[in-house]
Structure formats: structure tokens, C-alpha cells
């Protein structure tokens, strides 16, 4: 039952992450990608901090400080830099497909580090879910700028950062809880992004912000950071890294559905079939009770 709630939280996190793509795409035309990350995680950290301070919550122990800070830089600083940079070189569809390598990377890295055992059912589920993403995005994969492979590689590198974060953060989350851990890690990443943005003058464009730009920035901070990454950390505390990671295949599907509603983009038969295939893959990968080892 604990594993099930973890998968549900991860799927919700991935779905919200898909809705955040629209806000990010909008802001990219008005603000430097580093500053977008600063707003997203800065606001998210400010919202999570009061919640983390309420009650008798356990903060990361002194022995976990360095690891928590390192994971914050990995996931809340390096990951968004790679993610945003990749979309400069490749299309959204190809980028989403490259990001969907996350569950496969989590499975392989987890097995290499001894955190999870490779099983036929879990591997099949991951591959089926990835195939579902590719099928859902089929119509957009052929439209890519020259040398799009550079962006694809950057997105795979971003997925690797996310996979390592999921595996290495699980034991720390188990010792202190998802909210305190996410708050501290996000604060470290946000501080790094804010410092770099200040040095680059990335915040200069904020003077031209109107209601739409501020609304998009607030949405990214409240929904795209605080809620999304709390749910992700909660999921990592309940389920195996691969079971959590495989739900990232929901992200591009949700993004396509949001685009259909808000931008009147047609929903093709490939998207409908892709959603079904992704669901089957997630079910196969997350109902394998033999693939998880105790994490320490």
C-alpha cells in the first residue's frame, strides 16, 4: 500500500510537471532560463519553508548536510540548466522523449549501485512506457532544428541527474522526511541559480513584467516547484526509484493534453493510444514486488 501511494504521488507530480511546461515556454520568451529557475525554486522554497518549520519535523542530520547540499545542486541547479539548454537545440517532442529515458537510467543505475534488482517485468514495463511516449509524440518527432542531437544529449544528461537524485536522496528522505529534505535541497539549488543570475544580469528583464509574466512565474513557483517536488520527494520516500521514475512518462502526455486544451492543438489517435500504452507500462513496472531492495 505504501508503494502504491508513492506511485500515485509520483504520477501526480509528473502530471503537474507537464502543465508547468506551458508556463516555462511562455516565460522563455521574456526571461533568461536561469532567472526562470531562480523564480521557480526560490518561490517554491519560500512556500515549503514555513510548512517544514511547523510541528516536530526532523531536519537532515549533520552527517547528511553535505549530501543534501550536493543533491540540491544536482537537481535544483544543474538539472534545470541542462533541461532549459536542451530545448534551445531540440524540439519539445524530441526533448520529452529524451527525458523519458529517466526510468531506464534509474533502473540501470539502481542495479549498478545495488539499490534495485533488474527483473524482466520491471524492465518490460519501463520499455513499454517509453514506447508509449514515443508513440504519443510521433507527429512531432520529425520536426526538429539542425543538430538537434545536441539538445537530445543534454536532455539525457538532465535525465541522468534526475535518476541519480532519485537513488541517492531516498535514504536521506527516509531519515528526515520529504518536506525538510526538499526545502533544504531546493534552497541550495535556488541560491546557486540566483547567484549566477545576478552575476549575469538575468533579472533585468523583470522590470518589463506585466500580470501575465508574474502569473506564469507564480504558477511555476507554487505548482511547478513547491507542490510538484514535494510530491516527488514523498514518492521517493514510499516507492523504489524506478517505480517513481517510470511515472515521468506521464509528463509529456500531460503537456500534450494541456496544449490541446489551451492552444487548440488537435488530439491525434497516436496520443490516445500512447496514453494507454504508457499506463500499461507504468502498471507493469510498479506492480513488480520483487525488484526493490532495502536502501541504506
Amino acid at each position: 500500500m505504501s508503494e502504491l501511494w508513492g506511485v500515485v504521488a509520483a504520477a501526480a507530480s509528473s502530471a503537474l510537471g507537464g502543465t508547468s511546461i506551458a508556463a516555462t515556454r511562455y516565460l522563455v520568451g521574456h526571461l533568461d532560463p536561469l532567472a526562470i529557475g531562480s523564480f521557480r525554486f526560490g518561490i517554491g522554497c519560500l512556500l515549503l519553508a514555513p510548512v517544514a518549520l511547523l510541528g516536530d519535523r526532523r531536519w537532515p542530520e549533520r552527517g547528511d548536510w553535505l549530501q543534501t547540499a550536493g543533491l540540491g545542486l544536482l537537481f535544483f541547479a544543474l538539472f534545470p540548466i541542462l533541461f532549459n539548454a536542451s530545448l534551445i537545440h531540440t524540439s519539445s517532442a524530441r526533448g520529452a522523449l529524451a527525458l523519458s529515458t529517466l526510468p531506464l537510467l534509474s533502473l540501470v543505475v539502481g542495479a549498478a549501485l545495488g539499490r534495485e534488482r533488474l527483473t524482466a517485468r520491471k524492465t518490460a514495463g519501463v520499455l513499454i512506457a517509453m514506447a508509449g511516449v514515443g508513440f504519443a509524440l510521433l507527429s512531432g518527432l520529425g520536426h526538429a532544428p539542425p543538430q538537434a542531437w545536441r539538445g537530445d544529449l543534454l536532455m539525457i544528461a538532465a535525465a541522468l541527474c534526475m535518476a541519480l537524485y532519485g537513488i541517492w536522496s531516498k535514504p536521506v528522505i527516509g531519515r528526515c522526511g520529504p518536506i525538510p529534505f526538499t526545502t533544504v535541497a531546493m534552497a541550495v539549488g535556488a541560491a546557486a541559480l540566483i547567484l549566477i543570475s545576478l552575476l549575469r544580469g538575468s533579472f533585468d528583464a523583470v522590470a518589463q513584467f506585466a500580470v501575465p509574466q508574474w502569473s506564469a512565474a507564480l504558477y511555476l513557483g507554487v505548482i511547478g516547484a513547491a507542490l510538484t517536488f514535494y510530491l516527488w520527494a514523498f514518492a521517493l520516500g514510499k516507492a523504489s526509484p524506478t517505480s517513481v521514475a517510470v511515472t515521468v512518462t506521464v509528463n509529456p502526455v500531460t503537456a500534450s493534453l494541456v496544449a490541446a486544451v489551451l492552444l487548440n492543438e488537435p488530439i491525434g489517435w497516436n496520443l490516445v493510444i500512447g496514453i494507454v500504452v504508457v499506463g500499461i507500462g507504468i502498471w507493469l513496472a510498479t506492480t513488480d514486488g520483487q525488484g526493490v531492495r532495502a536502501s541504506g
Side-chain angles (χ1 to χ4, degrees):
M1 201 65 185
S2 175
E3 179 92 2
L4 174 62
W5 281 115
V7 172
V8 170
S13 175
S14 295
L16 290 174
T19 67
S20 298
I21 291 176
T24 301
R25 285 177 179 169
Y26 174 73
L27 274 183
V28 162
H30 301 272
L31 192 63
D32 184 283
L34 284 169
I36 294 174
S38 300
F39 272 108
R40 182 176 185 178
F41 298 126
I43 294 172
C45 179
L46 290 176
L47 290 175
L48 285 176
V51 180
L53 291 169
L54 291 174
D56 186 21
R57 298 188 184 276
R58 293 173 297 164
W59 292 88
E61 301 171 359
R62 180 169 298 182
D64 291 328
W65 287 358
L66 186 60
Q67 184 176 356
T68 302
L71 288 168
L73 291 173
L74 177 71
F75 192 41
F76 296 109
L78 182 57
F79 171 80
I81 290 173
L82 291 171
F83 182 92
N84 293 333
S86 74
L87 294 177
I88 295 174
H89 300 285
T90 191
S91 66
S92 297
R94 288 174 62 112
L97 186 60
L99 185 63
S100 72
T101 60
L102 170 63
L104 183 60
L105 291 171
S106 295
L107 190 63
V108 173
V109 174
L113 295 178
R115 299 297 178 90
E116 292 191 68
R117 287 182 297 172
L118 288 171
T119 66
R121 183 186 178 96
K122 183 170 288 188
T123 303
V126 166
L127 294 176
I128 289 172
M130 290 174 59
V133 172
F135 202 80
L137 302 176
L138 189 63
S139 60
L141 292 176
H143 305 286
Q147 297 184 327
W149 60 269
R150 294 182 178 179
D152 299 338
L153 288 179
L154 285 171
M155 188 63 81
I156 292 173
L160 179 59
C161 290
M162 201 170 182
L164 291 171
Y165 174 86
I167 292 167
W168 287 337
S169 65
K170 184 175 177 62
V172 184
I173 292 172
R175 290 191 288 270
C176 69
I179 293 182
F181 172 80
T182 304
T183 301
V184 176
M186 190 180 291
V188 173
L193 288 175
I194 291 171
L195 178 60
I196 298 172
S197 298
L198 287 171
L199 293 175
R200 287 169 50 91
S202 300
F203 292 118
D204 293 347
V206 174
Q208 308 300 320
F209 267 23
V211 172
Q213 290 79 32
W214 282 115
S215 298
L218 286 172
Y219 182 85
L220 284 176
V222 176
I223 304 299
L227 182 56
T228 295
F229 290 105
Y230 162 70
L231 289 171
W232 192 259
F234 174 85
L236 288 170
K238 299 291 184 181
S240 70
T242 299
S243 295
V244 173
V246 74
T247 66
V248 82
T249 52
V250 173
N251 185 299
V253 173
T254 306
S256 299
L257 291 173
V258 171
V261 173
L262 298 182
L263 304 177
N264 294 319
E265 294 182 3
I267 297 179
W269 59 270
N270 59 300
L271 178 60
V272 176
I273 295 177
I275 291 172
V276 174
V277 174
V278 166
I280 293 172
I282 292 175
W283 175 75
L284 283 172
T286 58
T287 53
D288 180 7
Q290 306 175 32
V292 181
R293 285 186 179 182
S295 297

